C-alpha cells in the first residue's frame, strides 16, 4: 500500500512538472517556487498569467505604499518591474499633493498644539535630502532606485550644490523659524560635504537654522537610525524640547528620545536604515 502511494506521488509530480515547469516534485515536500526558480519575479508568474497591465500597476502601487508604511524595509533597489511606476509617482502631481497634505498637517499641529515657552529651547528638526533638497535630478540619471546606490557618485553630485529646493518645505521651514522655533538640520550626509551642503541650502533659499548636524568620521559606520537617535539625545540633554521632526525616511524618527510629533514625506526611491 505504501509503495503504491509513493509511486503515485512520483507519477503525479512528474505530471505536474510537465504541465507547469515552475513546479516539480520538490514542491510536494514544501519547497516554495522562489527556491526552485531564483529568477522569479512578478512578471513571470506562470500560474497567474494576469500580472501585467492593471495588475502590475496594482502590485507596484502596493509595494510603494508598503514602503511608505514601513512594512517593506531594508530594500537595496526598487524592484525592476516597478521602477517606472516609482519614477512616475515621484515626478507626478500626486507626489506633490501628498507632500502638501503632510505640510498641511504640520501647519494644523503648529496652530493648535504647540505652545512655545520662548526660552530658546523650543526646537524643530528637519532632514535634508528629499525633505529640504530634492535628489530626484540625480536619480533621474541613475536608475530611479533600480540601481544599487553608488555613494561616490551621489556624493560627487552633492558637491556640485545643485539640488533644487522642495518648494513645500522651503515655505514651511521659514514658517516654523518665524514662529520662534530653533531649527536643527540633521542629515546622514558626511562631514566632508558641509561646505557644499551649506552653499546648496543658502543658494535655494534656506537660512537661519541653528545648527547643521552631519556625520563625522566616528559616525560613518553607525546605522542612520542610531546616528539620528544619538543627535536627538544630545539635543534633549542640552535642554531642547523637540516639538517635531520632518523627514522622508523612517530612520529619521526611529529610536529614543521620541519627539512630540513626526511627519514623514513620501519617498520610495531608496531606504536608509
Amino acid at each position: 500500500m505504501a509503495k503504491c502511494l509513493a509511486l503515485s506521488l512520483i507519477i503525479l509530480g512528474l505530471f505536474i512538472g510537465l504541465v507547469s515547469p515552475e513546479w516539480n516534485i520538490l514542491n510536494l515536500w514544501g519547497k516554495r517556487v522562489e527556491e526552485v526558480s531564483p529568477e522569479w519575479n512578478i512578471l513571470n508568474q506562470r500560474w497567474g498569467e494576469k500580472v501585467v497591465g492593471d495588475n502590475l500597476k496594482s502590485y507596484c502601487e502596493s509595494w510603494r505604499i508598503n514602503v511608505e508604511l514601513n512594512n517593506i524595509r531594508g530594500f537595496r533597489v526598487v524592484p525592476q518591474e516597478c521602477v517606472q511606476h516609482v519614477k512616475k509617482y515621484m515626478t507626478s502631481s500626486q507626489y506633490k499633493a501628498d507632500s502638501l497634505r503632510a505640510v498641511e498637517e504640520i501647519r494644523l499641529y503648529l496652530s493648535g498644539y504647540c505652545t512655545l515657552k520662548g526660552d530658546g529651547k523650543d526646537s524643530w528638526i528637519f532632514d535634508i535630502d528629499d525633505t529640504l533638497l530634492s535628489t530626484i535630478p540625480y536619480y533621474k540619471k541613475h536608475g530611479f532606485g533600480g540601481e544599487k546606490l553608488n555613494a561616490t557618485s551621489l556624493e560627487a553630485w552633492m558637491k556640485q550644490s545643485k539640488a533644487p529646493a522642495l518648494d513645500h518645505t522651503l515655505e514651511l521651514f521659514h514658517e516654523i523659524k518665524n514662529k520662534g522655533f530653533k531649527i536643527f538640520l540633521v542629515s546622514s550626509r558626511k562631514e566632508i560635504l558641509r561646505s557644499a551642503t551649506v552653499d546648496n541650502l543658502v543658494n535655494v533659499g534656506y537660512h537661519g537654522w541653528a545648527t547643521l548636524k552631519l556625520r563625522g568620521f566616528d559616525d560613518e559606520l553607525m546605522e542612520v537610525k542610531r546616528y539620528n537617535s544619538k543627535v536627538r539625545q544630545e539635543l534633549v540633554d542640552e535642554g531642547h524640547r523637540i516639538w517635531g521632526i520632518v523627514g522622508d525616511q523612517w530612520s529619521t524618527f526611529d529610536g529614543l528620545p521620541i519627539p512630540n510629533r513626526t511627519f514623514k514625506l513620501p519617498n520610495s526611491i531608496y531606504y536608509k536604515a
Side-chain angles (χ1 to χ4, degrees):
M1 182 70 177
K3 290 182 179 179
C4 291
L5 178 60
L7 181 60
S8 298
L9 287 173
I10 292 171
I11 293 172
L12 177 61
L14 291 173
F15 175 74
I16 293 173
L18 290 172
V19 174
S20 176
E22 295 292 338
W23 288 84
N24 59 41
I25 193 67
L26 292 176
N27 296 82
L28 297 177
W29 313 126
K31 293 279 189 178
R32 296 179 303 175
V33 174
E34 295 93 324
E35 295 172 331
V36 178
S37 179
E39 281 76 34
W40 181 90
N41 65 45
I42 196 69
L43 291 179
N44 56 9
Q45 287 186 110
R46 299 284 180 113
W47 57 94
E49 296 297 339
K50 294 183 180 180
V51 192
V52 292
D54 290 342
N55 285 337
L56 177 59
K57 180 180 178 181
S58 296
Y59 167 81
C60 291
E61 180 61 7
S62 176
W63 183 88
R64 187 190 68 78
I65 290 295
N66 277 276
V67 168
E68 299 296 352
L69 293 173
N70 205 28
N71 292 330
I72 295 175
R73 306 180 183 185
F75 65 91
R76 294 186 177 183
V77 295
V78 174
Q80 288 300 311
E81 56 270 24
C82 296
V83 169
Q84 288 302 313
H85 181 84
V86 169
K87 178 180 179 180
K88 184 177 180 180
Y89 170 76
M90 293 296 294
T91 57
S92 70
S93 59
Q94 186 62 54
Y95 165 73
K96 294 179 181 178
D98 292 344
S99 299
L100 286 171
R101 180 72 232 183
V103 168
E104 285 305 308
E105 290 301 318
I106 296 169
R107 288 185 173 125
L108 287 172
Y109 169 66
L110 288 167
S111 64
Y113 298 94
C114 297
T115 304
L116 278 61
K117 292 188 176 182
D119 58 359
K121 297 295 185 179
D122 296 301
S123 305
W124 197 281
I125 293 175
F126 281 94
D127 183 25
I128 294 180
D129 292 312
D130 296 298
T131 298
L132 299 181
L133 301 175
S134 174
T135 65
I136 287 179
Y138 173 82
Y139 283 102
K140 279 183 177 179
K141 298 180 180 180
H142 294 84
F144 239 97
E147 300 175 2
K148 288 185 179 180
L149 176 65
N150 184 325
T152 302
S153 172
L154 178 59
E155 289 174 6
W157 180 80
M158 289 176 172
K159 287 178 180 178
Q160 298 176 24
S161 303
K162 293 183 178 179
L166 288 165
D167 293 338
H168 44 273
T169 44
L170 175 59
E171 185 176 347
L172 177 69
F173 173 93
H174 289 295
E175 287 179 21
I176 291 176
K177 182 187 68 176
N178 292 337
K179 285 182 177 293
F181 289 93
K182 184 173 285 188
I183 293 179
F184 293 91
L185 307 184
V186 181
S187 173
S188 61
R189 290 188 178 198
K190 296 178 182 179
E191 182 63 38
I192 59 172
L193 294 169
R194 177 173 293 275
S195 179
T197 302
V198 170
D199 288 346
N200 199 159
L201 289 165
V202 171
N203 289 343
V204 298
Y206 294 102
H207 55 82
W209 63 82
T211 302
L212 169 61
K213 298 278 189 178
L214 302 178
R215 286 197 293 175
F217 180 77
D218 293 338
D219 301 320
E220 289 183 12
L221 296 179
M222 187 182 296
E223 287 183 319
V224 174
K225 61 184 178 182
R226 288 186 57 206
Y227 163 72
N228 284 318
S229 177
K230 185 188 84 166
V231 171
R232 289 199 304 275
Q233 188 61 62
E234 291 171 353
L235 293 177
V236 169
D237 290 344
E238 292 170 3
H240 295 284
R241 293 177 293 277
I242 304 174
W243 285 92
I245 302 178
V246 184
D248 66 294
Q249 297 289 310
W250 286 98
S251 55
T252 302
F253 318 121
D254 283 348
L256 300 173
I258 300 173
N260 286 13
R261 280 293 305 270
T262 60
F263 298 91
K264 187 185 181 303
L265 299 175
N267 182 5
S268 46
I269 300 176
Y270 55 83
Y271 184 93
K272 292 182 180 179

PDB file of all heavy atoms in Angstrom, residues 84-95:
ATOM      1  N   GLN A  84       9.602  52.104 -13.225  1.00  0.00           N
ATOM      2  CA  GLN A  84       8.852  53.121 -13.976  1.00  0.00           C
ATOM      3  C   GLN A  84       7.659  53.638 -13.181  1.00  0.00           C
ATOM      4  O   GLN A  84       7.319  54.816 -13.250  1.00  0.00           O
ATOM      5  CB  GLN A  84       8.392  52.551 -15.321  1.00  0.00           C
ATOM      6  CG  GLN A  84       9.511  52.365 -16.326  1.00  0.00           C
ATOM      7  CD  GLN A  84      10.248  53.673 -16.619  1.00  0.00           C
ATOM      8  OE1 GLN A  84       9.631  54.719 -16.854  1.00  0.00           O
ATOM      9  NE2 GLN A  84      11.571  53.613 -16.586  1.00  0.00           N
ATOM     10  N   HIS A  85       7.046  52.760 -12.398  1.00  0.00           N
ATOM     11  CA  HIS A  85       5.906  53.183 -11.573  1.00  0.00           C
ATOM     12  C   HIS A  85       6.363  54.170 -10.499  1.00  0.00           C
ATOM     13  O   HIS A  85       5.729  55.210 -10.281  1.00  0.00           O
ATOM     14  CB  HIS A  85       5.266  51.960 -10.917  1.00  0.00           C
ATOM     15  CG  HIS A  85       4.068  52.292 -10.075  1.00  0.00           C
ATOM     16  ND1 HIS A  85       2.800  52.446 -10.594  1.00  0.00           N
ATOM     17  CD2 HIS A  85       3.946  52.521  -8.741  1.00  0.00           C
ATOM     18  CE1 HIS A  85       1.961  52.749  -9.621  1.00  0.00           C
ATOM     19  NE2 HIS A  85       2.625  52.790  -8.483  1.00  0.00           N
ATOM     20  N   VAL A  86       7.477  53.857  -9.832  1.00  0.00           N
ATOM     21  CA  VAL A  86       8.003  54.748  -8.797  1.00  0.00           C
ATOM     22  C   VAL A  86       8.442  56.073  -9.416  1.00  0.00           C
ATOM     23  O   VAL A  86       8.189  57.149  -8.868  1.00  0.00           O
ATOM     24  CB  VAL A  86       9.173  54.077  -8.046  1.00  0.00           C
ATOM     25  CG1 VAL A  86       9.894  55.070  -7.155  1.00  0.00           C
ATOM     26  CG2 VAL A  86       8.663  52.896  -7.232  1.00  0.00           C
ATOM     27  N   LYS A  87       9.098  55.996 -10.565  1.00  0.00           N
ATOM     28  CA  LYS A  87       9.525  57.215 -11.265  1.00  0.00           C
ATOM     29  C   LYS A  87       8.327  58.095 -11.609  1.00  0.00           C
ATOM     30  O   LYS A  87       8.348  59.314 -11.386  1.00  0.00           O
ATOM     31  CB  LYS A  87      10.277  56.853 -12.536  1.00  0.00           C
ATOM     32  CG  LYS A  87      10.712  58.051 -13.364  1.00  0.00           C
ATOM     33  CD  LYS A  87      11.453  57.615 -14.616  1.00  0.00           C
ATOM     34  CE  LYS A  87      11.873  58.823 -15.446  1.00  0.00           C
ATOM     35  NZ  LYS A  87      12.602  58.416 -16.676  1.00  0.00           N
ATOM     36  N   LYS A  88       7.283  57.469 -12.135  1.00  0.00           N
ATOM     37  CA  LYS A  88       6.083  58.217 -12.500  1.00  0.00           C
ATOM     38  C   LYS A  88       5.474  58.905 -11.285  1.00  0.00           C
ATOM     39  O   LYS A  88       5.071  60.071 -11.350  1.00  0.00           O
ATOM     40  CB  LYS A  88       5.065  57.282 -13.152  1.00  0.00           C
ATOM     41  CG  LYS A  88       3.815  57.991 -13.657  1.00  0.00           C
ATOM     42  CD  LYS A  88       2.889  57.012 -14.368  1.00  0.00           C
ATOM     43  CE  LYS A  88       1.641  57.728 -14.882  1.00  0.00           C
ATOM     44  NZ  LYS A  88       0.727  56.776 -15.587  1.00  0.00           N
ATOM     45  N   TYR A  89       5.418  58.180 -10.160  1.00  0.00           N
ATOM     46  CA  TYR A  89       4.843  58.775  -8.946  1.00  0.00           C
ATOM     47  C   TYR A  89       5.691  59.931  -8.431  1.00  0.00           C
ATOM     48  O   TYR A  89       5.177  61.015  -8.141  1.00  0.00           O
ATOM     49  CB  TYR A  89       4.691  57.726  -7.846  1.00  0.00           C
ATOM     50  CG  TYR A  89       4.334  58.351  -6.517  1.00  0.00           C
ATOM     51  CD1 TYR A  89       3.042  58.813  -6.272  1.00  0.00           C
ATOM     52  CD2 TYR A  89       5.299  58.537  -5.529  1.00  0.00           C
ATOM     53  CE1 TYR A  89       2.720  59.432  -5.082  1.00  0.00           C
ATOM     54  CE2 TYR A  89       4.984  59.157  -4.328  1.00  0.00           C
ATOM     55  CZ  TYR A  89       3.691  59.609  -4.111  1.00  0.00           C
ATOM     56  OH  TYR A  89       3.382  60.242  -2.929  1.00  0.00           O
ATOM     57  N   MET A  90       7.007  59.712  -8.306  1.00  0.00           N
ATOM     58  CA  MET A  90       7.889  60.706  -7.695  1.00  0.00           C
ATOM     59  C   MET A  90       8.043  61.965  -8.537  1.00  0.00           C
ATOM     60  O   MET A  90       8.556  62.977  -8.056  1.00  0.00           O
ATOM     61  CB  MET A  90       9.260  60.095  -7.414  1.00  0.00           C
ATOM     62  CG  MET A  90       9.264  59.020  -6.342  1.00  0.00           C
ATOM     63  SD  MET A  90       8.813  59.606  -4.691  1.00  0.00           S
ATOM     64  CE  MET A  90      10.188  60.690  -4.310  1.00  0.00           C
ATOM     65  N   THR A  91       7.619  61.923  -9.792  1.00  0.00           N
ATOM     66  CA  THR A  91       7.673  63.107 -10.656  1.00  0.00           C
ATOM     67  C   THR A  91       6.274  63.597 -11.016  1.00  0.00           C
ATOM     68  O   THR A  91       6.111  64.384 -11.948  1.00  0.00           O
ATOM     69  CB  THR A  91       8.463  62.795 -11.941  1.00  0.00           C
ATOM     70  OG1 THR A  91       7.867  61.678 -12.608  1.00  0.00           O
ATOM     71  CG2 THR A  91       9.915  62.476 -11.632  1.00  0.00           C
ATOM     72  N   SER A  92       5.280  63.149 -10.274  1.00  0.00           N
ATOM     73  CA  SER A  92       3.883  63.443 -10.615  1.00  0.00           C
ATOM     74  C   SER A  92       3.281  64.514  -9.711  1.00  0.00           C
ATOM     75  O   SER A  92       3.830  64.879  -8.672  1.00  0.00           O
ATOM     76  CB  SER A  92       3.040  62.169 -10.491  1.00  0.00           C
ATOM     77  OG  SER A  92       2.894  61.803  -9.123  1.00  0.00           O
ATOM     78  N   SER A  93       2.110  64.969 -10.119  1.00  0.00           N
ATOM     79  CA  SER A  93       1.355  65.914  -9.292  1.00  0.00           C
ATOM     80  C   SER A  93       0.846  65.233  -8.023  1.00  0.00           C
ATOM     81  O   SER A  93       0.614  65.896  -7.009  1.00  0.00           O
ATOM     82  CB  SER A  93       0.181  66.498 -10.084  1.00  0.00           C
ATOM     83  OG  SER A  93      -0.684  65.460 -10.528  1.00  0.00           O
ATOM     84  N   GLN A  94       0.685  63.895  -8.062  1.00  0.00           N
ATOM     85  CA  GLN A  94       0.237  63.180  -6.862  1.00  0.00           C
ATOM     86  C   GLN A  94       1.287  63.229  -5.770  1.00  0.00           C
ATOM     87  O   GLN A  94       0.960  63.392  -4.588  1.00  0.00           O
ATOM     88  CB  GLN A  94      -0.089  61.724  -7.201  1.00  0.00           C
ATOM     89  CG  GLN A  94      -0.703  60.951  -6.044  1.00  0.00           C
ATOM     90  CD  GLN A  94      -2.029  61.537  -5.592  1.00  0.00           C
ATOM     91  OE1 GLN A  94      -2.937  61.719  -6.398  1.00  0.00           O
ATOM     92  NE2 GLN A  94      -2.138  61.852  -4.304  1.00  0.00           N
ATOM     93  N   TYR A  95       2.559  63.088  -6.154  1.00  0.00           N
ATOM     94  CA  TYR A  95       3.644  63.222  -5.174  1.00  0.00           C
ATOM     95  C   TYR A  95       3.606  64.602  -4.523  1.00  0.00           C
ATOM     96  O   TYR A  95       3.724  64.731  -3.302  1.00  0.00           O
ATOM     97  CB  TYR A  95       4.988  62.988  -5.864  1.00  0.00           C
ATOM     98  CG  TYR A  95       6.189  63.446  -5.053  1.00  0.00           C
ATOM     99  CD1 TYR A  95       6.614  62.732  -3.941  1.00  0.00           C
ATOM    100  CD2 TYR A  95       6.878  64.614  -5.397  1.00  0.00           C
ATOM    101  CE1 TYR A  95       7.709  63.155  -3.191  1.00  0.00           C
ATOM    102  CE2 TYR A  95       7.972  65.039  -4.657  1.00  0.00           C
ATOM    103  CZ  TYR A  95       8.384  64.312  -3.564  1.00  0.00           C
ATOM    104  OH  TYR A  95       9.459  64.732  -2.811  1.00  0.00           O
TER     105      TYR A  95
END
